[in-house]
Amino acid sequence: QVQLEESGGGLVQPGESLRLACAASGVITIPLSVAWYRRGVDKRRAWVGGITTGGTADYEDSVKGRFTISRNNAKNTIYLQMNNLKPEDTGAYYCRHSRDDGEYWGQGTQVTVTS
């Protein structure tokens, strides 16, 4: 099984930056493919971006050019660098990993961007 734990959220003003971390533990194979999701007021998790095992990252259109996903394989940690934050980026951010035995989610970390 895989355990995921997000951290790094906080309360910021528009234009500021945050770096979220997704720490993976358990029985894992690195490099780890991870997707980031955001749960907004509608309580649905919307895809934000992801990184493949090969290191290719992709992003939802609204965050392209502002968010960057990276990995530190030695620490089994995936990062989401969030620059130029906007109020619409507000939500609980989750990392997700899927494999043959199921999908794994972290508990989320809250990002609040005030106006």
Side-chain angles (χ1 to χ4, degrees):
Q1 293 184 333
V2 177
Q3 294 82 47
L4 303 173
E5 183 175 3
E6 303 92 340
S7 62
L11 177 65
V12 298
Q13 296 182 10
E16 295 183 336
S17 299
L18 287 171
R19 188 180 72 166
L20 308 184
C22 173
S25 60
V27 182
I28 60 175
T29 300
I30 59 173
L32 192 69
S33 63
V34 163
W36 286 93
Y37 288 78
R38 177 178 60 243
R39 174 180 282 175
V41 296
D42 63 359
K43 304 301 182 183
R44 294 187 176 186
R45 290 181 172 123
W47 181 78
V48 175
I51 188 167
T52 69
T53 56
T56 301
D58 199 9
Y59 308 91
E60 192 271 329
D61 286 343
S62 68
V63 307
K64 284 183 177 178
R66 299 188 297 119
F67 291 9
T68 303
I69 299 172
S70 62
R71 287 191 298 231
N72 186 327
N73 290 326
K75 294 183 177 181
N76 297 330
T77 301
I78 299 88
Y79 300 96
L80 179 64
Q81 178 67 44
M82 310 165 67
N83 296 330
N84 191 23
L85 283 162
K86 302 177 180 180
E88 54 263 39
D89 297 321
T90 293
Y93 282 73
Y94 299 82
C95 55
R96 172 185 177 268
H97 174 67
S98 294
R99 63 185 193 183
D100 289 344
D101 63 347
E103 65 177 23
Y104 300 88
W105 294 85
Q107 61 187 3
T109 184
Q110 179 67 34
V111 173
T112 301
V113 186
T114 65
S115 60

